[in-house]
Amino acid sequence: MTGFVFLRVRAHRLLLAAALLAVLLTTAVLATLTAFSGAIGDAALRQSLRTRSAADAALVVRTQVPPDKDDAAREEVEEGARRTFDGLPVRLRSLARSGTYALPRKERAGQGDKTDLTRFAALDRSRIKLVKGSWPNGSRGSSGSGGTVEVALPETAAAKLKLGPGAAPFTLTDRLTGPEVTVRVTGVYRPVDPADPYWQLDELGGRGVRKGVFMTYGPLLVTPSVLTGSRVSTEGTQWLATADFAGVTTRRVDALRDAATEGPAALAENRALGGNPSADTALPQVLDRAERALLVSRSTLLIVALQLIMLAGYALLLVARLLSTERGGETELLLARGGSRSRIAWLAAVEALLLALPAALAAPLLAAPLTRLLAGQGALARTGLRLDVSAGTGVWLAGLVTALGCALAVVAPALSTASGVRRSVRAPALPAPLRAGADVGLLVIAGVAYWQLDSRTSGSGALSDDRGGQLGIDPLLVAAPALALLAGTVVTLRLLPPAARLAERRAARGRGLPGALAGWQLSRRPLRGAGPVLLLVLAVAMGMLAVGQGASWDRSQEDQADFRAGTQIRVLGSRVADGEQAGVFGGLPGVRAAAPAVRDTMSLSDNRLATVLALDTAKAAPGLLTREDLGSGATISAALAPGRQRADAGAEPRAVVTDAFLDASGSRVGDRIQVPAGSRKVRVLIADAVPELPTAGAPEGAEAAAGPGGGAVLLDLPRLDAHLAEDDAGPLAPSEWWLTTGDGEAAQAAAALRSRPDIDPEQVLVRDEIAAQLRDDPLGAGPQAALLAVAAAAAALAAVGFAVSAAGSLRERSAEFAVLRALGAPRRQLARLIAAEQGFLLGLALLVGLGLGAVLTRAVVPLIVLTGEATQPVPPVLVELPVGRVALLLAATAAVPLLIIAALSLRRGDPKVSLRHEGGH
């Protein structure tokens, strides 16, 4: 029996080779997507915990224990940190500091009579670098000449105070009741990495200088022995615990989150840490964000994978149907000679397993190199993320299940043949399921799924909450794009008969034989080419979805950066004196215009809040980042223009609001509303409404605009101040500054801002930095690389199906072509006939696929492109289909079918062999 199976395989080796290629391609791609999803999730989690979220993921413990109990406290903190990080390896660093001391008047760099302050601190010297002089010596500092304490200054403080090694000793005064301390500067240091989480322990953040109510410098580096003695006052020790997340995977997230919630609470109640210890970490929130981003990434990959499964299944069914047709005579002969239908089905199953077994073994082995190849493409390559890929149990299981599914698709037509179902001699115009209305039913199902997906636009696309409020992937919503694609493709079958009749009528008007015969054949049997047409339609539409989703995601990251920042640089707050702010911000290098702004909120019904932003729109207009379809800067300026005319005494301030504000407040354009302006309420006219306003929907931190549905109100600040002056009220103090910079000069201006002691670096938002952070998010960029890979696999599967179908069609009609040759038809005309038929099918498929892909892309992409927080982006996604990429997609998809058409058209067959075979000789 084994020999007979191999004889059957050998007899139809080309078809089975095509089936093997399709099975291997499908299994390898899906196994790779499985490996890719797991690897990128783990790698992105580790990268986030070690880089952008490192400070939030650290544990900060503040204690007040006597110096003689510091070692015992360290042991308690270290043990508590291990519990907090669920047993991961922990590194502990400390910063012990003194109370505050006042600098002598002659050493002060501050202005006026206010006292300048400093502290002593014992720093972790692995976090700092000596740039001048020498490290302070503990024994000399405590018992040297005159009891002088040796210290090292931060580089920025040394520059401000004009102090350095060799400077004369000076005396510091304890701000409470302690004795004075004489210090001598021996060295100057700087942080190795100012962004290191360690500097959370320093009240100056490692910057060396900070301007607030008082000017503060430091800390003054001393040896630990200075703080354990009685020379200086102490305020306890702070500890920073960081974990080694190198081995963390997404499977450990739940356990790690629970430990990070319980561990700090236990440390805060540990009496061995002195009175009122505190322990804080934002690791649970970091893990929550990572988990949501991972769900978004996996839902995108699942959406793509389902589409590929659908295409691969149809391609395999097409190949298997052709194989079953080729074996029709053989199957009837076996049945006539006593072969049972179960035996025939068993033979088909064995052949299918022979196809599935190599794919099931090879696909997991190919998954690792293919995953690394994906990681080196597109936006993911920019992140520098290194994937640790291995063929784990999940990858092998995915390969096995996919291979068995492919085997079932291959054997299904043979099972139907073995069941005794015989086909009608005359082919109907439409398949039986379509005549029964299956396409309409499929459209209804797809419509319901799409409606469900669309109804979630307020939150999370293909994600949904379960009964416990836990966010997860909704199978129906994930399947919605695939169902819509399938429904649109199946409807294409109804287009084939009228398209074929139209082609026949147009060909009949011509004088050439090839066109007339091609039109007649297509009209007589329109469904003969339905298989390859549907495959190509699916491939083109999937490619369009991939191109559109990738381009739209890229555009969305840029739009989000624009609307979060509002302009090139936005300063959220500072300690610069009000009267000096305009000169300071306007005089920064690279800044072309500086616009003051005041941000406030107003309460609406249902506990909603709306953002009220008063901005000097005349100065901000050149750098205002908006989107034309959501309300351009010119539109906003025109609406506020009457309100900016300062000379128009008594003019009522005008406002531009968002559509969400109108919905939340029940207002309309032309209404007058009361908005807060400092401690007052001001009556303003709603002059216009736009879909979104910059910075009015930002989702994080100080950028957050309002509660859900609150919307925003934009006013012109100069006109608002003028209106307040008419009521004898003072102008509003700016809470923000919007800075417009020249091209390429934002980084220089931001560096100048962050170097100032009266501005905290985190208060400076730079549009280009936000965009880079969004673009380089591995969990956002990863699926974009997979999209193009799946599109390429879809094109390859379509090419295999088209080649098999075209070859089978030609073989089926070999006798017909032989008769035409015997009647004197030239080979050239037969070649044109084949080219005309196959070219018509190819052109129709590309045209329908292009239209279907464009429609689905514009309908589906805005619903499935989400932020890393699993929310809809602000502003909404603007769908883009770059013409160049679409043209390249069509050319790549059509390239192999065109080569196949050319090869079949130029193929030379012997008509005598075909006629003898047809005649049974």
Side-chain angles (χ1 to χ4, degrees):
M1 183 59 69
T2 303
F4 180 66
V5 170
F6 281 104
L7 285 175
R8 281 167 56 93
V9 170
R10 181 181 178 185
H12 301 280
R13 54 187 177 275
L14 293 180
L15 281 174
L16 289 173
L20 175 62
L21 178 61
V23 172
L24 180 60
L25 183 62
T26 303
T27 308
V29 171
L30 291 178
T32 299
L33 288 179
T34 303
F36 182 74
S37 176
I40 197 172
D42 294 340
L45 175 63
R46 290 192 287 265
Q47 185 188 61
S48 175
L49 291 173
R50 290 184 292 187
T51 55
R52 69 175 65 182
S53 298
D56 292 335
L59 172 67
V60 177
V61 182
R62 293 178 171 84
T63 63
Q64 294 180 342
V65 295
D68 59 336
K69 295 184 179 180
D70 197 60
D71 291 340
R74 180 185 181 90
E75 293 179 2
E76 293 291 334
V77 171
E78 192 167 7
E79 180 60 29
R82 289 196 188 96
R83 291 194 300 268
T84 299
F85 294 116
D86 194 33
L88 291 172
V90 171
R91 183 169 184 176
L92 201 62
R93 297 188 177 94
S94 65
L95 188 155
R97 69 181 187 180
S98 71
T100 56
Y101 284 79
L103 289 165
R105 181 175 296 276
K106 67 177 181 178
E107 307 296 345
R108 297 176 191 172
Q111 301 295 322
D113 296 330
K114 292 184 178 179
T115 303
D116 292 348
L117 306 179
T118 189
R119 291 179 187 269
F120 298 101
L123 304 176
D124 186 330
R125 294 198 182 182
S126 67
R127 304 295 95 191
I128 55 179
K129 177 182 179 181
L130 187 70
V131 294
K132 188 184 297 184
S134 61
W135 295 115
N137 185 292
S139 59
R140 186 180 305 166
S142 59
S143 59
S145 176
T148 301
V149 175
E150 292 187 352
V151 301
L153 277 174
E155 188 175 32
T156 52
K160 290 282 187 181
L161 297 172
K162 298 180 181 180
L163 292 173
F170 55 91
T171 301
L172 303 179
T173 305
D174 193 316
R175 291 281 290 170
L176 297 177
T177 58
E180 295 181 341
V181 179
T182 301
V183 301
R184 181 168 64 87
V185 178
T186 65
V188 175
Y189 70 88
R190 72 160 68 111
V192 173
D193 179 10
D196 192 304
Y198 176 75
W199 296 109
Q200 294 180 87
L201 304 181
D202 177 22
E203 63 181 346
L204 305 186
R207 304 178 65 205
V209 182
R210 185 176 188 271
K211 182 179 180 181
V213 177
F214 299 97
M215 199 75 168
T216 305
Y217 300 89
L220 305 182
L221 173 67
V222 295
T223 59
S225 61
V226 172
L227 294 171
T228 57
S230 59
R231 292 298 314 277
V232 301
S233 61
T234 60
E235 280 195 0
T237 302
Q238 301 178 85
W239 310 87
L240 180 86
T242 55
D244 181 4
F245 295 108
V248 171
T249 65
T250 54
R251 292 187 295 273
R252 197 171 181 176
V253 165
D254 290 338
L256 188 57
R257 178 170 43 224
D258 292 341
T261 302
E262 299 168 0
L267 277 171
E269 297 175 358
N270 191 332
R271 295 298 159 223
L273 301 181
N276 299 320
S278 66
D280 301 289
T281 179
L283 182 57
Q285 291 76 26
V286 171
L287 295 175
D288 286 341
R289 292 196 299 268
E291 200 167 37
R292 294 177 74 87
L294 183 63
L295 283 174
V296 173
S297 176
R298 287 180 173 172
S299 68
T300 303
L301 292 175
L302 274 176
I303 289 171
V304 174
L306 284 178
Q307 295 174 22
L308 180 66
I309 290 172
M310 179 179 64
L311 176 66
Y314 187 74
L316 288 170
L317 285 173
L318 183 64
V319 174
R321 175 66 66 183
L322 183 58
L323 180 62
S324 178
T325 301
E326 289 282 321
R327 286 177 170 171
E330 177 185 325
T331 301
E332 291 179 0
L333 182 60
L334 288 174
L335 290 173
R337 292 187 175 184
S340 64
R341 304 188 191 282
S342 60
R343 177 59 60 89
I344 294 173
W346 182 83
L347 289 173
V350 170
E351 290 178 352
L353 289 176
L354 289 176
L355 299 176
L357 184 60
L361 295 175
L365 300 178
L366 293 172
L370 289 176
T371 298
R372 295 190 187 96
L373 180 64
L374 277 181
Q377 307 302 313
L380 192 57
R382 295 196 305 265
T383 67
L385 192 68
R386 184 179 179 275
L387 300 187
D388 183 14
V389 187
S390 61
T393 304
V395 177
W396 282 98
L397 183 61
L400 178 62
V401 171
T402 303
L404 290 178
C406 291
L408 182 60
V410 171
V411 80
L415 294 176
S416 65
T417 301
S419 66
V421 178
R422 299 185 63 87
R423 287 180 291 177
S424 173
V425 174
R426 182 179 178 181
L430 290 173
L434 262 69
R435 296 198 304 274
D439 55 338
V440 177
L442 187 58
L443 278 173
V444 172
I445 295 174
V448 171
Y450 177 81
W451 172 72
Q452 286 287 327
L453 182 63
D454 186 40
S455 66
R456 306 296 176 94
T457 56
S458 61
S460 51
L463 307 178
S464 63
D465 295 324
D466 58 19
R467 294 181 179 179
Q470 188 72 24
L471 191 66
I473 297 176
D474 191 315
L476 176 62
L477 302 182
V478 166
L483 288 172
L485 179 61
L486 179 60
T489 304
V490 170
V491 171
T492 304
L493 289 176
R494 290 192 177 272
L495 300 178
L496 281 176
R501 288 193 295 269
L502 179 62
E504 180 189 19
R505 285 196 295 268
R506 292 185 63 86
R509 299 193 190 105
R511 297 181 179 179
L513 175 64
L517 280 177
W520 178 72
Q521 284 288 351
L522 290 171
S523 177
R524 186 170 67 93
R525 299 188 64 178
L527 296 185
R528 172 182 283 170
V533 167
L534 293 186
L535 270 180
L536 287 171
V537 168
L538 281 172
V540 172
M542 282 182 60
M544 292 276 288
L545 277 170
V547 169
Q549 186 171 344
S552 301
W553 185 86
D554 290 339
R555 171 64 187 268
S556 180
Q557 310 316 301
E558 301 296 327
D559 289 344
Q560 289 178 62
D562 288 346
F563 273 67
R564 288 189 190 185
T567 186
Q568 283 80 13
I569 298 177
R570 183 156 59 98
V571 183
L572 300 183
S574 73
R575 293 177 297 279
V576 180
D578 291 347
E580 301 175 5
Q581 290 183 5
V584 167
F585 294 125
L588 290 168
V591 172
R592 305 295 177 83
V598 178
R599 189 178 297 270
D600 203 345
T601 59
M602 61 182 294
S603 300
L604 301 176
S605 59
D606 298 328
N607 295 321
R608 287 176 289 190
L609 291 176
T611 295
V612 179
L613 177 64
L615 174 68
D616 190 333
T617 52
K619 293 181 179 178
L624 190 63
L625 300 177
T626 61
R627 206 171 73 189
E628 291 297 325
D629 63 311
L630 300 177
S632 65
T635 301
I636 295 172
S637 297
L640 294 174
R644 291 208 307 266
Q645 296 174 0
R646 297 171 175 80
D648 187 5
E652 188 174 40
R654 298 162 68 89
V656 174
V657 302
T658 61
D659 294 338
F661 178 83
L662 295 182
D663 294 339
S665 64
S667 305
R668 293 178 298 177
V669 174
D671 288 353
R672 287 168 172 79
I673 57 173
Q674 295 281 338
V675 300
S679 59
R680 294 171 172 255
K681 293 282 188 180
V682 175
R683 185 179 177 86
V684 301
L685 171 69
I686 299 179
D688 198 4
V690 294
E692 294 288 348
L693 284 170
T695 76
E700 55 189 28
E703 304 166 66
V713 179
L714 176 64
L715 304 168
D716 184 69
L717 180 58
R719 178 56 204 141
L720 184 60
D721 284 341
H723 184 78
L724 292 173
E726 293 169 5
D727 293 337
D728 297 326
L732 299 176
S735 59
E736 297 180 5
W737 281 84
W738 295 41
L739 310 182
T740 302
T741 64
D743 293 339
E745 296 179 319
Q748 180 185 11
L753 280 168
R754 288 166 175 159
S755 66
R756 293 184 60 88
D758 46 12
I759 298 176
D760 295 329
E762 60 272 14
Q763 298 297 308
V764 180
L765 298 183
V766 183
R767 185 266 172 205
D768 291 342
E769 293 177 357
I770 297 173
Q773 184 179 17
L774 291 171
R775 288 194 308 265
D776 295 343
D777 177 15
L779 290 177
Q784 311 313 313
L787 286 173
L788 295 181
V790 171
L797 285 170
V800 170
F802 188 89
V804 169
S805 179
S809 176
L810 188 63
R811 187 180 297 111
E812 181 183 352
R813 297 171 60 191
S814 59
E816 174 188 331
F817 291 142
V819 171
L820 291 173
R821 284 286 293 122
L823 293 175
R827 292 183 185 276
R828 184 185 304 172
Q829 290 192 349
L830 293 183
R832 290 178 180 174
L833 169 61
I834 296 172
E837 288 184 10
Q838 300 299 327
F840 172 79
L841 295 177
L842 175 61
L844 180 64
L846 294 178
L847 184 62
V848 174
L850 183 66
L852 178 62
V855 171
L856 290 181
T857 299
R858 299 195 178 280
V860 172
V861 165
L863 307 182
I864 62 176
V865 173
L866 304 174
T867 67
E869 297 289 332
T871 59
Q872 292 293 314
V874 177
V877 175
L878 180 64
V879 177
E880 289 201 342
L881 276 171
V883 176
R885 296 188 200 176
V886 172
L888 183 61
L889 167 71
L890 294 178
T893 305
V896 175
L898 284 174
L899 291 176
I900 294 169
I901 292 172
L904 293 178
S905 300
L906 299 176
R907 179 174 176 268
R908 293 178 177 271
D910 189 350
K912 291 183 291 184
V913 175
S914 298
L915 289 174
R916 288 196 190 106
H917 178 76
E918 184 70 15
H921 299 297

